[in-house]
Each structure stands twice: as C-alpha cells, then as structure tokens.
Amino acid sequence: MKNIRNFCIIAHIDHGKSTLADRLLEVTNTISKREMQDQVLDDMDLEKERGITIKSHAIQMNYRVPAEGNSTYAGQNFVLNLIDTPGHVDFSYEVSRAIAACEGALLVVDATQGIQAQTISNLYLALENDLEIIPVMNKIDLDSAMPEEVADEIVDLLGCKPEEILRCSAKTGMGVPEILDAIVDRIPAPEGDPDAPLQALVFDSVFNPFRGIISYFRIMNGRIRTGDHVKFFSTGKEYDADEVGVLRLNMEPCKELSAGNVGYIISGIKTSKEVRVGDTITHVQEPCEKPIEGFEAVKPMVFAGVYPVDTDDYEELRASLEKLQLNDASLTFEPESSLALGFGFRCGFLGLLHMEIVQERLTREFNMDVITTVPNVQYKVKLTNGQELDVYNPSGMPEPNNISEVYEPYIHAQIITKADFIGPVIKLCMDKRGQLKNQNYLTTDRIEITFDLPLGEVVFDFYDKLKSISKGYASFDYYINGYQPSKLVKLEILLNGDPVDALSTLTYVDNAYPIGRKMCEKLKDLIPRQQFDVAIQAAIGSKIIARETVRQVRKDVTAKCYGGDITRKRKLLEKQKEGKKRMRQVGNVEVPQSAFLAVLKLD
C-alpha cells in the first residue's frame, strides 16, 4: 500500500487538465505511441467535438522513480491511480466524486489566465476532503504567460511557498517528470487495513449491453477477489464478482485487489436501480459494520420536462434515462404528464450545459428523439392557509388568490474578470435583479465581484452573455444561498383560449409583459396557418397582457359566381362563415416542435 498514490487533476475549464493527463500517460509509458491521441481519456465523441471533459476518467499508471533523481523514493516502483475531472461548473458533482476517491490533487492554473472562479471552487472541494494540494502552473511556454504574477496569486490563495509551485507545459512535456516525482513525494499513501472486512466505495458506473453494469470502486479496507460473494449496502442485493480488475486504457482483469486500490467489478447486474453511486460494496460472509460516509445527494438547479416525440417511446425513454443516470449520477428524473406533449419525465439538471449534454447523449447513445420544455427552477410557495409547497413547474403553481408569498432560490455568485469589463458585468448582474455584495482586486487588473442573484434569472443565458461582454475573460462560479421572497407570476400562453402547459413559465412580475409580448410574436411566425383565425394570447391569471393573431387561410368561394344577383354571393359567404365557426369549435392547433425550441432561445 505504501507504493500506491491516488490523485486527481482539478482546474478551471480550458486550463489544460486533459493535456497534462496525456503527458503523464506518455511519460509513464502507460500508452504506446500508436495508441496516443489528443485528450486520450475523453472517450466520448461529444467531449472531443466540444473540447470539454464531461465525465471523470480513471486510469492506472506504473511509474519507476529515476535512481539518479532527488526523490526520497529513488529507484522504487509506484502505482499511480489518476482521475481526470471536468472543469465546467455544471459538472462539479463529477469532481466531488473523484475527490472522494483520492488523497491528493494537482491544482492546475493556466499561466496566461491566472486563477479563475472554478479553480477556487474546486480547490475548496478538495480542501474540505483534506486532500494534499500540489499547485501546477501550466502553459509557461506561451509568449503571453505571466509566471511571476500567477505565482503570486497561487501563493496568496494557498499560502504555499513560491518554490513549491511546479511549472510545466503540458503540450511540450516540459516539467512533467518533476510533477510525477512530486506526486510520489508529497501525496500520502492511502490508509486502510487490507485484512479488515471489505469496504469499497462506488464512485462511478457504466452500462455495458453485453456484460451488464460495470461499477468503479475505491477500496478503503479489506480485499476483493474474483469469484467473491459480495453485496451492495443500500439495496442489500447479493452478487458474485465475476470479474474484478484495474482500469488502464482498457479494463484489465486481475485475481485480487486490496485496500487503497481503484478498480472495477462486473457481477452481471442488469437492473440500473440496483447500483447507486456512493454505495458501499462488502462481503456477504464477513460484512463491514457500517457503510462508508458516501456523497451528499445531488441538488438539481434547473428543471425541465423531457418528452418523447413519439408517445409510444415512453418506456424506452425511461430505460434510456435509467442507463444514463448510472453514468451521470447528477441527473434526476420523475414521471409527469402534459396535455400538449403526453407522458414524459421531469428532469433535474445542474445547469443549462448539463441539460444540453443530456439531451445530446439521449439522441446519440440511445437514439431517442425528445422535446425539452422551458427550463425553470424550484420555488417555495406559502399558501393563505399556512401550508408550504415546493413548485417545480408552472402547472403546479396554485391559483393567485390562494398564494400568500412566493420564495425563489438565490445564488451567491463569484465573477472574476479583467478590470476593463467591470462596468458591463455589473450592469448585466443588476439587470438580472442582482445585489452587489463585494468587490475585491486580486491584482491591479483582475477583480473578483460577488453578487447575490436569483437562480431563475441565471439559468437561461446569463453565462453566454457574461462571456460575450467580457470577451471570454470572465469566469463564473456559484452556490445556492437560500430562498428570498419574490413577486413571481405564472405567465400562460393560450391558443384559441386553451392554455398550452408546456409553454407556460414562472417569471418576475416586471418581466412578464416583455416576455409575453416576445413569445406571442415568435409563435405567430412559427404556428402554421389554419382554416380559421388562431388567437395567440399571453395571460397572467385571467388578465390578457399580449395578443397576436395568425390569420386564416381563405378559399374564394365566390369565384364560381360570374354574375347575377349579390344575394347569391352573400348566401355562399354566410354558408362559409357557419363552417368556419364550426371548425373553430372542433379544430385544435398543433404546436410544432420548432416552436418549443424557439421559445427556449428567446433573447
């Protein structure tokens, strides 16, 4: 055990985590030159296309410390278990799970950009778990690098000595051997008793159509062998360990794994409900006394309805979501139905990017065509009779005369930006009903601004706007900061007097009129013309605040009258009028899928 090191790489998005992981795999000869490619651990097409890490990836490396080096372990062989983590704020749950399986972390900071919001957020996550932090300054070979200024920032943040900061270039490989030596020297060996009863923490899982569910675990105590009879703590279900092994570029089976190691188990589990991330695996004959303190249950930030385009695919969508939840534990869902869209699921996501990625993965990995409704957040409603309700979607909102007060979630947001952009950034936050809490100059031209903002204002397009007004420089991080009373109203869209529940939304009272106006104008362009006038109205309760009309398609019924008395024409027009009236009563208006998507992209 003393020659095992478990560590992860944490950083802000685009600071070079995955490239550094590539170099570590190259230097330790874990991957041959033939197998090598850029971002080798990002195995999803989606990750390669977007250039972001979505999943944490675990891999084992063997490293022999050079005999001629300065390391106290010169000449010894080590097993290094690396977990590469995402950097985007929407995937911070992946980071927290990776951290729970490690003793140390490489904190990577881009020498051209310095410390950014997610760097600080991920650092705090690591410090809460008592991890040993090794600061690494990346991209020092670039002309725009500012190594001295960034080193000062790291010293201020960590309280370390300047000489403890490792400098490297993940692209060229410069400084990577020193990082490996620092991992061996500074990160403590895992603790645990190999002879105690088995205690293994499940930190990830994946569904394989041929072999069932494969669970990835970190052994805290004891040992596990192929063929062992094991059970999962939370469900109490028992299985045989058909195969255990370590995670290299591919899975490598082995006979036995003991305390401190990271590996995988295949036991022929077919039902996704039977495996939970954060669960504990133990032996049936000699179980451990209590489970490992697992992870906190994830708290979704954004809710949206996900419906199959074809209603017959409902059960298939459920199975797809369950399989996806195995691999992405931060996704939550429960069944719901909508008058406009039929049966579907109410899904909870950590943010808009997370929602987009889940939708994309459902399409690519499971061939599911889905419609996603307008995203919203969770509100608390106090009724006039003293009861309190949690409202996840507009249809669950009680009648206005029964509501005493509505509370909406607020976030504590940290924005780090260049001083040049401070004006536009503060204006953006003020427009989103933000309250300025603090301004702090990190350096002469970098400033940290702290705001309290309503989460409902942030989930749509806040991040995109922040990036565009700051020319990509601003970084953004947030955490939930309780609920505050707010003036919220339910804005409904009516088509010929019938509400379309999938288009209704909860919004701040001052924003209701402009949003209703824009939605009506947008829908007027998107809803196809019918044989009768279609009235599109935006309403708050019984009060109509905006209206547009899609004009009817008219057939010229008088074309065959080429003369004669006017009463003949009038008779035909009256007959047509009656038909139109009857049609309006029985005709229903189909809302095309493009309309739902267009409303999501309202500016």
Side-chain angles (χ1 to χ4, degrees), residues 111-132:
T112 63
Q113 295 184 42
I115 286 169
Q116 295 194 275
Q118 198 59 27
T119 317
I120 299 170
S121 176
N122 288 339
L123 171 67
Y124 287 157
L125 268 178
L127 291 174
E128 277 170 26
N129 285 270
D130 295 333
L131 263 61
E132 181 65 39

Side-chain angles (χ1 to χ4, degrees), residues 13-68:
I13 191 166
D14 276 343
H15 280 207
K17 296 177 299 302
S18 298
T19 314
L20 179 58
D22 290 353
R23 293 296 84 74
L24 293 172
L25 296 176
E26 221 170 51
V27 171
T28 54
N29 296 321
T30 305
I31 288 181
S32 65
K33 283 269 189 286
R34 190 170 58 83
E35 293 171 310
M36 195 64 213
Q37 53 178 320
D38 284 349
Q39 276 88 36
V40 69
L41 292 181
D42 292 350
D43 49 11
M44 229 185 279
D45 291 343
L46 211 51
E47 291 178 311
K48 287 191 166 60
E49 281 168 29
R50 290 178 179 240
I52 57 173
T53 304
I54 293 166
K55 284 289 302 165
S56 296
H57 299 276
I59 192 163
Q60 190 178 89
M61 305 176 281
N62 293 334
Y63 177 58
R64 183 178 176 80
V65 183
E68 64 281 356

Side-chain angles (χ1 to χ4, degrees), residues 126-347:
L127 291 174
E128 277 170 26
N129 285 270
D130 295 333
L131 263 61
E132 181 65 39
I133 308 291
I134 300 176
V136 177
M137 200 191 305
N138 189 17
K139 306 189 188 179
I140 60 163
D141 58 323
L142 297 181
D143 297 337
S144 55
M146 311 170 291
E148 299 314 316
E149 290 96 315
V150 175
D152 290 343
E153 285 183 28
I154 295 172
V155 170
D156 287 347
L157 181 69
L158 282 178
C160 61
K161 295 176 183 150
E163 58 271 19
E164 289 177 6
I165 301 168
L166 303 174
R167 302 184 179 201
C168 77
S169 164
K171 190 150 253 167
T172 61
M174 181 177 85
V176 173
E178 287 78 3
I179 292 175
L180 285 163
D181 289 347
I183 289 166
V184 168
D185 286 339
R186 296 196 212 169
I187 293 176
E191 294 175 357
D193 181 0
D195 301 318
L198 174 67
Q199 248 188 340
L201 175 74
V202 178
F203 67 88
D204 204 358
S205 51
V206 62
F207 184 82
N208 184 305
F210 305 106
R211 310 204 63 182
I213 292 161
I214 303 168
S215 297
Y216 301 156
F217 59 77
R218 152 78 199 271
I219 303 179
M220 300 299 183
N221 290 305
R223 59 186 77 223
I224 186 169
R225 298 177 186 84
T226 305
D228 278 358
H229 198 43
V230 297
K231 71 170 181 179
F232 284 76
F233 233 97
S234 69
T235 57
K237 295 275 177 79
E238 300 177 7
Y239 309 97
D240 289 321
D242 299 336
E243 186 181 304
V244 295
V246 293
L247 297 154
R248 296 180 83 79
L249 191 56
N250 298 310
M251 295 186 293
E252 280 188 12
C254 59
K255 288 274 183 281
E256 176 182 298
L257 285 172
S258 63
N261 259 308
V262 173
Y264 70 90
I265 177 170
I266 300 175
S267 46
I269 305 171
K270 295 287 188 286
T271 317
S272 42
K273 284 196 184 86
E274 292 174 22
V275 176
R276 288 193 194 138
V277 164
D279 202 354
T280 302
I281 303 174
T282 188
H283 282 128
V284 174
Q285 274 81 24
E286 197 187 341
C288 56
E289 289 176 12
K290 60 180 194 300
I292 302 158
E293 294 298 320
F295 311 103
E296 291 176 17
V298 63
K299 295 185 184 74
M301 302 285 183
V302 176
F303 296 88
V306 173
Y307 294 85
V309 171
D310 183 355
T311 47
D312 295 344
D313 294 340
Y314 173 72
E315 284 302 327
E316 205 176 318
L317 177 60
R318 182 198 290 275
S320 304
L321 282 169
E322 282 177 358
K323 287 172 189 169
L324 191 55
Q325 195 179 37
L326 267 181
N327 195 232
D328 181 356
S330 53
L331 170 68
T332 59
F333 65 91
E334 56 186 44
E336 75 161 6
S337 62
S338 151
L339 293 172
L341 299 168
F343 290 103
F345 295 93
R346 181 115 210 114
C347 297

Side-chain angles (χ1 to χ4, degrees), residues 78-108:
F78 281 82
V79 171
L80 308 181
N81 289 311
L82 154 69
I83 305 180
D84 179 27
T85 64
H88 198 283
V89 65
D90 279 15
F91 305 111
S92 54
Y93 190 63
E94 288 286 325
V95 182
S96 71
R97 287 164 30 205
I99 283 171
C102 296
E103 279 80 34
L106 296 181
L107 181 76
V108 178

